[in-house]
Coordinates of all heavy atoms in Angstrom, one line a residue:
A1 N 173.7 128.0 123.8 CA 172.5 127.6 123.0 C 171.5 128.8 122.9 O 171.5 129.6 123.9 CB 171.9 126.4 123.5
F2 N 170.8 128.8 121.9 CA 169.7 129.8 121.8 C 168.5 129.2 121.0 O 168.7 128.2 120.4 CB 170.2 131.1 121.1 CG 170.9 130.8 119.7 CD1 170.1 130.9 118.5 CD2 172.2 130.5 119.6 CE1 170.7 130.6 117.3 CE2 172.8 130.2 118.4 CZ 172.0 130.3 117.2
E3 N 167.4 129.9 121.1 CA 166.2 129.4 120.5 C 166.0 130.1 119.2 O 166.2 131.3 119.0 CB 165.0 129.8 121.4 CG 164.8 129.1 122.7 CD 164.5 127.6 122.5 OE1 163.7 127.3 121.7 OE2 165.1 126.8 123.2
V4 N 165.5 129.3 118.2 CA 165.1 129.9 116.9 C 163.6 129.5 116.7 O 163.3 128.4 116.7 CB 165.9 129.5 115.8 CG1 165.3 129.8 114.4 CG2 167.3 130.1 115.8
E5 N 162.8 130.5 116.5 CA 161.4 130.3 116.2 C 161.2 130.6 114.7 O 161.6 131.7 114.2 CB 160.5 131.2 117.0 CG 159.0 131.0 116.7 CD 158.1 131.9 117.5 OE1 158.5 132.4 118.5 OE2 157.0 132.2 116.9
C6 N 160.7 129.6 113.9 CA 160.4 129.8 112.5 C 158.9 130.1 112.4 O 158.1 129.3 112.6 CB 160.7 128.5 111.7 SG 162.4 127.9 111.9
Q7 N 158.7 131.4 112.2 CA 157.3 131.9 112.4 C 156.4 131.3 111.4 O 155.3 130.9 111.7 CB 157.3 133.4 112.3 CG 156.0 134.0 112.8 CD 156.1 135.5 113.0 OE1 156.1 136.2 112.0 NE2 156.1 135.9 114.2
R8 N 156.7 131.2 110.1 CA 155.8 130.7 109.1 C 155.5 129.3 109.3 O 154.4 128.8 109.0 CB 156.4 131.0 107.7 CG 155.9 132.3 107.2 CD 156.3 132.5 105.7 NE 157.7 132.7 105.5 CZ 158.5 132.0 104.7 NH1 158.0 131.0 104.0 NH2 159.8 132.3 104.5
S9 N 156.5 128.5 109.7 CA 156.4 127.0 109.9 C 155.8 126.7 111.2 O 155.4 125.5 111.5 CB 157.7 126.3 109.8 OG 158.5 126.9 108.7
G10 N 155.8 127.6 112.2 CA 155.3 127.4 113.5 C 156.2 126.4 114.3 O 155.7 125.6 115.1
V11 N 157.5 126.4 114.0 CA 158.4 125.4 114.6 C 159.4 126.2 115.4 O 159.9 127.2 115.0 CB 159.1 124.6 113.6 CG1 160.2 123.8 114.1 CG2 158.1 123.7 112.8
S12 N 159.7 125.7 116.7 CA 160.8 126.3 117.5 C 161.8 125.3 117.8 O 161.5 124.2 118.1 CB 160.2 126.9 118.8 OG 159.5 128.0 118.6
V13 N 163.1 125.7 117.6 CA 164.2 124.7 117.9 C 165.2 125.4 118.8 O 165.4 126.6 118.8 CB 164.9 124.3 116.6 CG1 163.9 123.4 115.8 CG2 165.4 125.4 115.8
T14 N 166.0 124.5 119.5 CA 167.1 125.0 120.3 C 168.3 124.8 119.4 O 168.5 123.7 118.8 CB 167.2 124.2 121.6 OG1 166.1 124.4 122.4 CG2 168.5 124.7 122.4
V15 N 169.2 125.8 119.3 CA 170.4 125.6 118.5 C 171.6 125.5 119.4 O 172.0 126.4 120.1 CB 170.6 126.8 117.5 CG1 171.9 126.6 116.7 CG2 169.4 127.0 116.7
P16 N 172.2 124.2 119.5 CA 173.3 124.0 120.4 C 174.6 124.6 119.8 O 174.6 124.8 118.6 CB 173.4 122.5 120.6 CG 172.7 122.0 119.4 CD 171.7 123.0 118.9
P17 N 175.7 124.7 120.6 CA 176.9 125.3 120.0 C 177.5 124.5 118.9 O 178.2 125.1 118.0 CB 177.9 125.3 121.2 CG 177.0 125.2 122.4 CD 175.8 124.5 122.0
D18 N 177.3 123.2 118.8 CA 177.9 122.4 117.8 C 177.0 122.2 116.5 O 177.3 121.4 115.7 CB 178.2 121.0 118.3 CG 177.0 120.3 118.8 OD1 175.9 120.9 119.0 OD2 177.1 119.0 118.9
K19 N 175.9 123.0 116.4 CA 175.1 122.9 115.3 C 174.8 124.3 114.7 O 174.7 125.3 115.4 CB 173.7 122.3 115.7 CG 173.5 121.0 115.1 CD 172.1 120.5 115.4 CE 172.2 119.0 115.9 NZ 170.9 118.5 116.4
T20 N 174.6 124.4 113.4 CA 174.2 125.7 112.8 C 172.7 125.8 112.9 O 172.0 124.9 113.1 CB 174.6 125.8 111.3 OG1 173.9 124.8 110.6 CG2 176.1 125.5 111.1
I21 N 172.2 127.1 112.7 CA 170.8 127.3 112.7 C 170.2 126.5 111.5 O 169.2 125.8 111.7 CB 170.5 128.8 112.4 CG1 171.0 129.6 113.6 CG2 169.0 129.0 112.3 CD1 170.8 131.2 113.4
Y22 N 170.9 126.5 110.4 CA 170.4 125.7 109.2 C 170.2 124.3 109.6 O 169.1 123.7 109.3 CB 171.5 125.8 108.1 CG 171.0 125.3 106.8 CD1 170.6 126.1 105.8 CD2 171.1 123.9 106.5 CE1 170.1 125.7 104.6 CE2 170.6 123.4 105.3 CZ 170.2 124.3 104.4 OH 169.7 123.8 103.2
E23 N 171.2 123.6 110.2 CA 171.1 122.2 110.5 C 169.9 122.0 111.5 O 169.1 121.0 111.4 CB 172.4 121.7 111.2 CG 173.5 121.6 110.2 CD 174.9 121.4 110.9 OE1 175.0 121.7 112.1 OE2 175.8 121.0 110.2
A24 N 169.8 122.8 112.5 CA 168.8 122.6 113.5 C 167.4 122.8 113.0 O 166.5 122.0 113.3 CB 169.0 123.7 114.7
V25 N 167.2 123.8 112.2 CA 165.8 123.9 111.6 C 165.5 122.9 110.6 O 164.4 122.4 110.5 CB 165.5 125.4 111.1 CG1 165.7 126.4 112.2 CG2 166.3 125.7 109.9
E26 N 166.5 122.5 109.8 CA 166.3 121.5 108.8 C 165.9 120.1 109.5 O 165.0 119.5 109.0 CB 167.5 121.3 107.9 CG 167.3 120.4 106.7 CD 168.5 120.2 105.9 OE1 169.6 120.0 106.4 OE2 168.4 120.2 104.6
E27 N 166.6 119.8 110.5 CA 166.3 118.6 111.3 C 164.8 118.6 111.8 O 164.2 117.6 112.0 CB 167.2 118.4 112.4 CG 168.5 117.7 112.0 CD 169.5 117.7 113.1 OE1 169.1 117.7 114.3 OE2 170.7 117.6 112.8
A28 N 164.4 119.8 112.1 CA 163.0 120.0 112.7 C 162.0 120.0 111.6 O 160.8 120.1 111.8 CB 162.9 121.3 113.5
G29 N 162.4 119.8 110.3 CA 161.5 119.6 109.2 C 161.1 120.9 108.5 O 160.2 121.0 107.7
V30 N 161.8 122.0 108.8 CA 161.6 123.3 108.1 C 162.3 123.3 106.8 O 163.4 122.8 106.6 CB 162.1 124.5 109.0 CG1 161.9 125.8 108.3 CG2 161.4 124.5 110.3
D31 N 161.6 123.8 105.7 CA 162.2 123.9 104.4 C 163.2 125.0 104.3 O 162.8 126.2 104.5 CB 161.0 124.2 103.4 CG 160.6 122.9 102.6 OD1 161.4 122.0 102.5 OD2 159.5 122.9 102.2
V32 N 164.4 124.7 104.1 CA 165.5 125.7 104.0 C 166.2 125.5 102.7 O 166.4 124.4 102.2 CB 166.4 125.7 105.2 CG1 165.8 126.5 106.3 CG2 166.8 124.3 105.6
L33 N 166.7 126.6 102.2 CA 167.5 126.5 101.0 C 169.0 126.9 101.3 O 169.2 127.9 102.0 CB 167.0 127.5 99.9 CG 165.8 127.1 99.1 CD1 165.5 128.3 98.1 CD2 166.2 125.9 98.3
G34 N 169.9 126.1 100.8 CA 171.3 126.5 101.0 C 172.2 126.0 100.0 O 171.8 125.1 99.2
S35 N 173.4 126.4 99.9 CA 174.3 125.9 98.9 C 175.7 125.8 99.4 O 176.2 124.7 99.7 CB 174.2 126.9 97.7 OG 175.3 126.6 96.8
C36 N 176.4 127.0 99.7 CA 177.8 126.9 100.1 C 178.0 126.4 101.5 O 179.0 125.8 101.8 CB 178.4 128.3 99.9 SG 177.9 129.5 101.1
M37 N 177.1 126.7 102.4 CA 177.3 126.4 103.8 C 178.5 127.0 104.5 O 179.0 126.6 105.5 CB 177.3 124.8 104.1 CG 176.1 124.1 103.6 SD 174.6 124.7 104.5 CE 173.4 124.4 103.4
E38 N 179.0 128.1 103.8 CA 180.1 128.8 104.4 C 179.9 130.3 104.5 O 180.9 131.0 104.7 CB 181.3 128.5 103.5 CG 181.8 127.1 103.5 CD 183.0 126.9 102.6 OE1 183.4 127.8 101.8 OE2 183.6 125.8 102.7
G39 N 178.7 130.7 104.3 CA 178.4 132.1 104.5 C 178.9 133.0 103.3 O 179.1 134.2 103.5
V40 N 179.0 132.4 102.1 CA 179.5 133.3 101.0 C 178.5 133.4 99.8 O 178.6 134.4 99.1 CB 180.9 132.7 100.4 CG1 181.9 132.8 101.5 CG2 180.8 131.3 99.9
C41 N 177.5 132.6 99.7 CA 176.7 132.6 98.5 C 175.4 133.4 98.7 O 174.9 134.0 97.7 CB 176.4 131.2 98.0 SG 175.2 130.3 99.0
G42 N 174.9 133.5 99.9 CA 173.7 134.2 100.1 C 172.4 133.5 99.9 O 171.3 134.0 100.1
T43 N 172.5 132.2 99.5 CA 171.3 131.4 99.3 C 170.4 131.2 100.5 O 169.2 131.2 100.4 CB 171.6 130.0 98.7 OG1 172.6 130.1 97.7 CG2 170.4 129.2 98.2
C44 N 171.0 131.1 101.6 CA 170.2 130.8 102.9 C 169.8 132.0 103.6 O 169.3 131.9 104.7 CB 171.1 130.0 103.8 SG 172.5 130.9 104.4
E45 N 169.9 133.2 103.0 CA 169.5 134.4 103.7 C 168.0 134.4 104.1 O 167.2 134.0 103.3 CB 169.8 135.6 102.7 CG 169.4 137.0 103.4 CD 169.9 138.1 102.5 OE1 170.4 137.9 101.4 OE2 169.9 139.2 103.1
C46 N 167.7 134.8 105.3 CA 166.3 135.0 105.6 C 166.1 136.2 106.5 O 167.0 136.6 107.2 CB 165.7 133.7 106.1 SG 166.2 133.3 107.8
D47 N 164.9 136.6 106.5 CA 164.5 137.9 107.3 C 164.5 137.6 108.8 O 163.9 136.5 109.2 CB 163.2 138.4 106.8 CG 163.3 139.1 105.5 OD1 164.4 139.4 105.1 OD2 162.3 139.3 104.9
V48 N 165.0 138.5 109.6 CA 164.9 138.4 111.0 C 163.7 139.2 111.5 O 163.6 140.4 111.2 CB 166.2 138.9 111.7 CG1 166.1 138.9 113.2 CG2 167.4 138.1 111.2
I49 N 162.8 138.6 112.2 CA 161.6 139.3 112.6 C 161.8 139.9 114.0 O 161.3 140.9 114.4 CB 160.3 138.3 112.6 CG1 160.1 137.9 111.2 CG2 159.1 139.0 113.2 CD1 159.2 136.7 111.0
E50 N 162.5 139.1 114.9 CA 162.7 139.5 116.2 C 164.1 139.0 116.7 O 164.4 137.9 116.3 CB 161.6 139.0 117.1 CG 161.2 139.8 118.3 CD 160.1 139.1 119.1 OE1 159.0 138.9 118.5 OE2 160.4 138.6 120.2
G51 N 164.8 139.7 117.6 CA 166.0 139.2 118.1 C 167.2 139.8 117.4 O 167.1 140.6 116.4
E52 N 168.4 139.6 118.0 CA 169.6 140.2 117.5 C 170.6 139.1 116.9 O 171.2 138.4 117.7 CB 170.3 141.0 118.6 CG 171.3 142.0 118.1 CD 172.2 142.6 119.2 OE1 171.7 142.5 120.4 OE2 173.3 143.0 119.0
P53 N 170.7 139.0 115.6 CA 171.6 138.0 115.0 C 173.1 138.4 115.3 O 173.5 139.5 115.6 CB 171.3 138.1 113.5 CG 170.6 139.4 113.3 CD 170.0 139.8 114.6
D54 N 173.9 137.3 115.2 CA 175.4 137.5 115.3 C 176.0 137.1 114.0 O 176.2 135.9 113.8 CB 175.8 136.5 116.5 CG 177.4 136.6 116.6 OD1 178.0 137.4 116.0 OD2 177.9 135.8 117.4
P55 N 176.1 138.0 113.1 CA 176.5 137.7 111.7 C 177.9 137.1 111.6 O 178.8 137.7 112.1 CB 176.4 139.0 110.9 CG 176.3 140.1 112.0 CD 175.9 139.5 113.3
R56 N 178.0 136.0 110.9 CA 179.4 135.4 110.7 C 179.6 135.2 109.2 O 180.5 134.4 108.8 CB 179.4 134.1 111.4 CG 179.0 134.1 112.8 CD 180.1 134.1 113.8 NE 179.6 134.2 115.2 CZ 179.7 133.2 116.1 NH1 180.2 132.1 115.8 NH2 179.3 133.5 117.3
D57 N 178.8 135.8 108.3 CA 178.9 135.5 106.9 C 179.8 136.6 106.2 O 180.3 137.5 106.9 CB 177.5 135.7 106.3 CG 177.0 137.1 106.5 OD1 176.4 137.3 107.6 OD2 177.2 137.9 105.6
S58 N 180.1 136.4 104.9 CA 180.8 137.3 104.2 C 180.0 137.9 103.1 O 180.5 138.4 102.0 CB 182.1 136.7 103.5 OG 182.5 135.6 104.2
V59 N 178.7 137.9 103.3 CA 177.7 138.4 102.2 C 177.2 139.8 102.6 O 177.2 140.7 101.7 CB 176.5 137.5 102.1 CG1 175.5 138.0 101.1 CG2 176.9 136.1 101.7
L60 N 176.9 140.1 103.8 CA 176.3 141.3 104.2 C 177.3 142.5 104.3 O 178.4 142.2 104.6 CB 175.6 141.2 105.6 CG 174.4 140.2 105.6 CD1 173.9 140.1 107.1 CD2 173.3 140.6 104.7
S61 N 176.8 143.7 104.0 CA 177.6 144.8 104.2 C 177.6 145.2 105.6 O 176.9 144.7 106.4 CB 177.0 146.0 103.4 OG 175.8 146.4 103.9
E62 N 178.5 146.1 106.0 CA 178.6 146.6 107.4 C 177.3 147.1 107.9 O 176.8 146.8 109.0 CB 179.7 147.6 107.5 CG 180.3 147.8 108.8 CD 180.8 146.5 109.4 OE1 181.5 145.7 108.7 OE2 180.4 146.2 110.6
A63 N 176.6 147.9 107.0 CA 175.3 148.5 107.4 C 174.3 147.4 107.6 O 173.5 147.5 108.5 CB 174.9 149.5 106.3
E64 N 174.3 146.5 106.7 CA 173.3 145.4 106.8 C 173.5 144.6 108.1 O 172.6 144.1 108.8 CB 173.4 144.4 105.6 CG 172.8 145.1 104.4 CD 173.1 144.2 103.1 OE1 174.2 143.7 103.0 OE2 172.2 144.2 102.3
R65 N 174.8 144.4 108.4 CA 175.2 143.7 109.6 C 174.7 144.4 110.9 O 174.1 143.8 111.8 CB 176.7 143.7 109.7 CG 177.4 142.4 109.8 CD 178.9 142.6 109.6 NE 179.2 142.2 108.2 CZ 179.3 141.0 107.8 NH1 179.2 140.0 108.8 NH2 179.4 140.6 106.6
E66 N 174.8 145.7 110.8 CA 174.4 146.5 112.0 C 172.9 146.5 112.1 O 172.3 146.5 113.2 CB 174.9 147.9 111.9 CG 176.2 148.1 112.7 CD 177.0 149.3 112.2 OE1 176.4 150.3 112.0 OE2 178.2 149.2 112.1
S67 N 172.2 146.5 111.0 CA 170.7 146.6 111.0 C 170.1 145.3 111.6 O 169.1 145.3 112.2 CB 170.1 146.9 109.7 OG 170.0 145.7 108.9
G68 N 170.8 144.1 111.3 CA 170.3 142.9 111.8 C 169.0 142.4 111.2 O 168.3 141.6 111.8
A69 N 168.7 142.9 110.0 CA 167.4 142.7 109.4 C 167.3 141.3 108.7 O 166.3 140.7 108.6 CB 167.0 143.7 108.4
T70 N 168.5 140.8 108.3 CA 168.6 139.5 107.6 C 169.8 138.7 108.2 O 170.7 139.3 108.8 CB 168.7 139.5 106.1 OG1 170.0 140.1 105.8 CG2 167.6 140.4 105.5
I71 N 169.7 137.4 108.0 CA 170.7 136.5 108.5 C 171.0 135.4 107.5 O 170.1 134.9 106.8 CB 170.3 135.9 109.9 CG1 171.3 135.0 110.5 CG2 169.0 135.2 109.8 CD1 171.0 134.6 111.9
M72 N 172.3 135.0 107.4 CA 172.7 133.8 106.7 C 172.7 132.6 107.7 O 173.6 132.6 108.6 CB 174.1 133.9 106.1 CG 174.3 135.0 105.1 SD 173.1 135.2 103.8 CE 173.1 137.0 103.8
I73 N 171.7 131.8 107.6 CA 171.6 130.8 108.7 C 172.5 129.6 108.6 O 172.6 128.8 109.5 CB 170.1 130.2 108.7 CG1 169.7 129.6 107.4 CG2 169.1 131.3 109.1 CD1 168.4 128.8 107.4
C74 N 173.4 129.5 107.6 CA 174.3 128.4 107.5 C 175.5 128.7 108.4 O 176.2 127.7 108.8 CB 174.8 128.2 106.1 SG 175.8 129.6 105.4
V75 N 175.8 129.9 108.8 CA 177.0 130.2 109.6 C 176.7 131.2 110.8 O 177.4 131.1 111.8 CB 178.1 130.9 108.8 CG1 178.8 129.8 107.9 CG2 177.7 132.1 108.0
S76 N 175.7 132.1 110.6 CA 175.5 133.1 111.6 C 174.8 132.5 112.8 O 174.1 131.5 112.8 CB 174.8 134.3 111.0 OG 175.6 134.8 110.0
R77 N 174.9 133.3 113.9 CA 174.3 132.8 115.2 C 173.5 133.9 115.8 O 173.1 134.8 115.1 CB 175.4 132.3 116.1 CG 176.3 131.2 115.4 CD 177.1 130.3 116.3 NE 176.3 129.5 117.2 CZ 175.8 128.3 116.8 NH1 176.0 127.8 115.6 NH2 175.1 127.6 117.7
S78 N 173.3 133.8 117.1 CA 172.4 134.8 117.7 C 173.1 135.4 119.0 O 173.7 134.8 119.7 CB 171.1 134.2 118.1 OG 170.2 135.1 118.7
R79 N 172.8 136.7 119.1 CA 173.3 137.4 120.4 C 172.2 137.4 121.4 O 172.5 137.4 122.6 CB 173.7 138.9 120.1 CG 174.9 139.0 119.2 CD 175.5 140.4 119.3 NE 176.7 140.4 118.5 CZ 176.8 141.1 117.3 NH1 175.7 141.8 116.9 NH2 177.9 141.1 116.6
S80 N 171.0 137.3 120.9 CA 169.9 137.2 121.9 C 169.5 135.8 122.2 O 169.9 134.9 121.4 CB 168.6 138.0 121.3 OG 168.4 137.6 120.0
E81 N 168.8 135.6 123.2 CA 168.4 134.2 123.6 C 167.4 133.6 122.6 O 167.3 132.4 122.5 CB 167.7 134.2 125.0 CG 168.7 134.2 126.1 CD 168.0 134.3 127.5 OE1 166.9 133.9 127.6 OE2 168.6 135.0 128.4
R82 N 166.8 134.5 121.9 CA 165.8 134.0 121.0 C 165.8 134.8 119.7 O 165.9 136.0 119.7 CB 164.4 134.1 121.6 CG 163.2 133.5 120.9 CD 162.1 133.3 121.9 NE 160.9 133.2 121.2 CZ 160.1 134.2 120.8 NH1 160.5 135.5 121.2 NH2 159.0 134.0 120.2
L83 N 165.7 134.1 118.5 CA 165.6 134.7 117.3 C 164.3 134.3 116.6 O 164.0 133.1 116.6 CB 166.7 134.3 116.3 CG 168.1 134.9 116.2 CD1 168.8 134.3 115.1 CD2 167.9 136.5 116.1
V84 N 163.5 135.2 116.1 CA 162.3 134.8 115.3 C 162.6 135.1 113.8 O 163.0 136.2 113.5 CB 161.1 135.6 115.8 CG1 159.9 135.1 115.0 CG2 160.9 135.4 117.3
L85 N 162.5 134.0 113.0 CA 162.9 134.1 111.6 C 161.7 133.9 110.7 O 160.7 133.2 111.1 CB 164.0 133.1 111.3 CG 165.3 133.2 112.1 CD1 166.2 132.1 111.6 CD2 165.9 134.6 111.9
D86 N 161.8 134.5 109.5 CA 160.7 134.4 108.5 C 161.0 133.1 107.7 O 161.3 133.2 106.6 CB 160.7 135.6 107.6 CG 159.5 135.6 106.6 OD1 158.5 135.0 107.0 OD2 159.7 136.2 105.6
L87 N 160.7 132.0 108.4 CA 161.0 130.7 107.7 C 159.7 129.8 107.9 O 159.0 129.9 108.9 CB 162.1 130.0 108.4 CG 163.6 130.3 107.9 CD1 164.6 129.5 108.8 CD2 163.7 129.9 106.4
Ligands
FES1 FE1 175.7 130.1 101.2 FE2 174.5 130.2 103.6 S1 174.4 128.6 102.1 S2 175.5 131.8 102.5

């Protein structure tokens, strides 16, 4: 599990292994947009303010993946204990 802090909403959630970031933050009442839920459409992309994402999508290029600047929250996870997102 890892922590996700939604900076704009002022909400922090724990994301357990059986839940996506999308599900966890949505349950906490954060407004999120999504469509495919499979990491292919790019709708759920959001900016990473702090932390190292673990990209599992098919949207980002190799360079974008390495930069860790954005994340598809429907499938991707975190390598760091905490991610701060622009949500
Ligand atoms: Fe389509 Fe996340 S909802 S990439």
Side-chain angles (χ1 to χ4, degrees):
F2 52 93
E3 291 292 317
V4 168
E5 180 183 332
C6 303
Q7 194 169 74
R8 272 188 286 127
S9 317
V11 171
S12 287
V13 294
T14 299
V15 183
D18 63 341
K19 246 184 227 173
T20 64
I21 297 177
Y22 189 100
E23 290 165 343
V25 301
E26 189 180 43
E27 274 173 28
V30 177
D31 259 334
V32 278
L33 278 179
S35 170
C36 71
M37 298 300 153
E38 290 179 353
V40 297
C41 74
T43 311
C44 68
E45 180 168 12
C46 75
D47 287 343
V48 176
I49 296 164
E50 214 182 291
E52 196 190 339
D54 178 6
R56 311 258 175 113
D57 62 273
S58 334
V59 176
L60 296 176
S61 68
E62 202 54 47
E64 287 171 322
R65 233 167 262 283
E66 267 162 39
S67 85
T70 67
I71 182 172
M72 302 310 143
I73 58 171
C74 66
V75 288
S76 297
R77 306 198 66 83
S78 181
R79 289 197 182 108
S80 48
E81 274 172 35
R82 188 160 158 274
L83 272 187
V84 182
L85 301 179
D86 185 27
L87 275 175

